[in-house]
Amino acid sequence: MGIRLSKAAFSLDNSKIKWIVLALIPCLLPFQINLGNLVLIIAVAYNFFFFKKQNIKKFKSPGFIFPCFFFIIALISSLFSKKYEVGLKHLDLDLLQLLLAFVVINQSFDKERVNKLFDYFFYACSLSSAILLFNNFLKVLSVDSNEILFFHDFTLLYDQHPVYYSIYISLALFFKFYNTKSFSSLKKRDILLASLLLLALVFCASKIVLFIDLCFVLVFILTQKISLKNKMLFVLPVIMLSLTVFNIPYIKERFVEGLDFDTEIIHFEPTNDFQNKKLFIYEEKANISDLELRYIFVKIGLYHLIQDGKLLFGYGQGDTQLYLDYYYYSYNLGPNWFEGFNVHNQYLNILLNYGIFVLLAFLGYLLYSFWIAFKYRDIPFVFFLVISSLVFIVEVMLTRNKGIILFYFFNTFFLFKNLRFENSNIRNTRST
């Protein structure tokens, strides 16, 4: 009897420990990379030694098959690249998606644990943001320039990309307050922490994330089953706050200058004819806006991919940047300017690396995820997918440690959470 009780207690503690190491993965996202890598190694090792046999069937789920497929493709692409050593060096990052899926499938999901994980993520982002805001306060005391308070300079302490950090904050706020029934039920502590997160979001100054957040909040308010008067009471403060934020000099400058589009850039056409190639002069390169640069990269990438006959299978993971840098140079966009830059578009990056079939597979993975999210009316999952899919248009997230962990952890987590709840409901129904 005593032995049975001990085994039951160990099983309970074992499940709890697995959930703790799982929760630490998203909670350490807003901090340095080495901390996140350490906890992921611990999580993988622990779940390997205490893997439940009944979870083997989850390997057949698309939530695991897709990350496994993408890792195999990355391996094959690297091996067949001319610069295979470059591709193989990147495999440690490609392996992350597979390890994250492995850790997630060995979990026992229930709504209480899921809600607690979202709470822990909210508090972790709050702590991380509070440290960054305090660091900004110290900068104000020592430096006159306000520019070092925003964007890359704001998240430099953690060596984080400000767009990714903006996504952390957006997710933390949405996860925390989505199920809130009324503002009167909110704790003062949570309101204070949410204010810190909103302030940190402003200093991140990510155009795409700020715009998505604003649109999603307005759509969410307008679709609620409340009177038009109450909707306006919520909408007006949001619009006023947004106008205030967008009129902060640095942010306004980023929005205005970042959306500039010169007519010569619009008419830019890539070519293999060196006599007709456009050679960008110093003044043009110095004044290229964010949107113009992405437009140029997309046109160069697509044109030369097709002309080189690489549309089906791509250049190969080890060779893509080599080809891109060569073409950047041919338009006088290098050296000392844009060599080493990716195309700032996740979808095009996959196409360049692996070809059209793998891009279609990735889009299928996204569509499957959207289908699961809408099927189970998982609005937090929908929000995560919308913000990720749109950021993919302007950033290549899945080549960096934090970007890979951010996307594949939450996407796999949401997929298996919903599938787990579905299976539980089915069993309960049959028992009844």
Side-chain angles (χ1 to χ4, degrees):
M1 180 70 175
I3 294 175
R4 289 180 180 177
L5 287 174
S6 298
K7 286 184 177 180
F10 175 76
S11 177
L12 179 63
D13 290 340
N14 182 37
S15 176
K16 188 175 181 180
I17 292 172
K18 283 192 296 186
W19 191 263
I20 290 172
V21 293
L22 174 80
L24 283 173
I25 294 173
C27 288
L28 290 176
L29 264 176
F31 298 93
Q32 288 91 341
I33 288 177
N34 54 355
L35 293 176
N37 287 344
L38 176 62
V39 76
L40 180 58
I41 293 170
I42 294 171
V44 171
Y46 193 87
N47 281 275
F48 178 79
F49 285 109
F50 297 100
F51 189 83
K52 290 184 177 181
K53 292 182 180 180
Q54 60 265 38
N55 287 329
I56 292 177
K57 60 184 179 182
K58 294 181 182 179
F59 288 126
K60 299 178 181 179
S61 169
F64 184 82
I65 291 174
F66 277 117
C68 185
F69 167 76
F70 291 133
F71 174 74
I72 293 172
I73 290 297
L75 174 61
I76 295 172
S77 179
S78 298
L79 290 173
F80 283 89
S81 298
K82 295 175 184 177
K83 292 282 185 179
Y84 64 88
E85 68 278 5
V86 176
L88 292 175
K89 284 181 180 179
H90 195 271
L91 283 180
D92 59 338
L93 291 175
D94 295 311
L95 184 61
L96 289 174
Q97 57 192 309
L98 200 54
L99 297 179
L100 289 165
F102 173 75
V103 172
V104 171
I105 65 174
N106 197 37
Q107 303 300 319
S108 298
F109 290 92
D110 61 62
K111 290 185 178 180
E112 183 180 354
R113 281 182 170 178
V114 169
N115 290 333
K116 281 186 176 179
L117 184 142
F118 291 159
D119 280 343
Y120 297 152
F121 182 60
F122 173 79
Y123 295 129
C125 288
S126 300
L127 174 61
S128 174
S129 297
I131 294 171
L132 291 181
L133 291 170
F134 181 71
N135 186 54
N136 254 12
F137 173 72
L138 296 179
K139 290 180 186 177
V140 171
L141 296 179
S142 57
V143 183
D144 294 332
S145 175
N146 290 329
E147 289 190 3
I148 64 167
L149 304 178
F150 294 90
F151 205 51
H152 284 294
D153 291 300
F154 178 62
T155 55
L156 184 62
L157 184 66
Y158 300 134
D159 194 23
Q160 288 264 19
H161 195 293
V163 175
Y164 304 171
Y165 201 88
S166 296
I167 298 175
Y168 308 155
I169 295 173
S170 302
L171 293 175
L173 288 168
F174 195 89
F175 294 163
K176 180 65 179 176
F177 296 110
Y178 170 69
N179 290 320
T180 300
K181 295 179 180 179
S182 65
F183 287 106
S184 60
S185 64
L186 294 176
K187 297 178 181 178
K188 291 181 180 180
R189 175 191 62 191
D190 291 339
I191 295 174
L192 174 61
L193 295 179
S195 301
L196 288 177
L197 288 175
L198 287 171
L199 186 58
L201 188 63
V202 171
F203 281 110
C204 285
S206 168
K207 297 189 294 290
I208 182 69
V209 176
L210 284 171
F211 180 74
I212 294 170
D213 285 345
L214 175 60
C215 292
F216 211 95
V217 168
L218 291 175
V219 170
F220 181 74
I221 292 172
L222 294 173
T223 54
Q224 294 302 297
K225 295 180 179 179
I226 55 177
S227 67
L228 181 60
K229 180 181 177 181
N230 286 333
K231 287 180 181 180
M232 290 301 103
L233 288 175
F234 284 112
V235 167
L236 288 176
V238 171
I239 293 176
M240 290 176 65
L241 179 62
S242 302
L243 290 174
T244 303
V245 169
F246 292 143
N247 275 287
I248 295 173
Y250 180 84
I251 296 178
K252 184 177 181 179
E253 182 180 346
R254 275 185 52 78
F255 269 85
V256 173
E257 292 187 358
L259 298 177
D260 282 345
F261 223 108
D262 190 87
T263 53
E264 288 192 19
I265 300 295
I266 294 176
H267 296 108
F268 166 71
E269 292 294 338
T271 179
N272 281 323
D273 185 351
F274 277 85
Q275 290 184 341
N276 295 321
K277 271 184 183 285
K278 175 175 176 54
L279 299 178
F280 288 86
I281 61 175
Y282 177 85
E283 288 76 12
E284 288 176 317
K285 290 183 286 188
N287 293 308
I288 290 177
S289 71
D290 292 343
L291 190 59
E292 288 173 338
L293 187 62
R294 284 161 172 78
Y295 176 79
I296 292 168
F297 284 165
V298 168
K299 296 205 76 170
I300 289 175
L302 279 176
Y303 174 83
H304 289 290
L305 181 75
I306 295 171
Q307 292 298 312
D308 292 341
K310 301 290 185 178
L311 184 62
L312 293 182
F313 303 108
Y315 289 114
Q317 179 158 276
D319 297 336
T320 297
Q321 194 59 55
L322 193 67
Y323 277 91
L324 286 175
D325 285 344
Y326 169 76
Y327 290 122
Y328 293 162
Y329 273 69
S330 73
Y331 297 99
N332 200 33
L333 293 170
N336 302 321
W337 284 94
F338 304 113
E339 70 274 17
F341 277 47
N342 59 51
V343 289
H344 284 65
N345 182 299
Q346 183 63 61
Y347 307 109
L348 179 57
N349 186 74
I350 292 173
L351 183 64
L352 291 169
N353 275 306
Y354 312 120
I356 187 66
F357 299 117
V358 178
L359 174 60
L360 291 175
F362 181 73
L363 293 175
Y365 178 53
L366 282 179
L367 288 174
Y368 171 75
S369 300
F370 269 109
W371 178 69
I372 292 294
F374 282 112
K375 179 181 179 180
Y376 298 105
R377 298 179 182 179
D378 192 341
I379 303 303
F381 192 11
V382 172
F383 177 70
F384 166 76
L385 288 171
V386 168
I387 199 170
S388 297
S389 300
L390 292 177
V391 169
F392 284 163
I393 296 173
V394 296
E395 293 291 343
V396 178
M397 284 178 55
L398 304 183
T399 59
R400 297 191 183 194
N401 178 288
K402 291 296 185 180
I404 293 171
I405 295 177
L406 168 64
F407 177 73
Y408 280 106
F409 174 83
F410 280 114
N411 204 62
T412 309
F413 178 85
F414 278 118
L415 285 175
F416 282 102
K417 173 181 78 73
N418 284 297
L419 294 175
R420 167 60 180 166
F421 289 162
E422 175 192 40
N423 293 337
S424 298
N425 292 334
I426 291 173
R427 285 198 297 271
N428 290 338
T429 303
R430 288 176 178 173
S431 297
T432 302

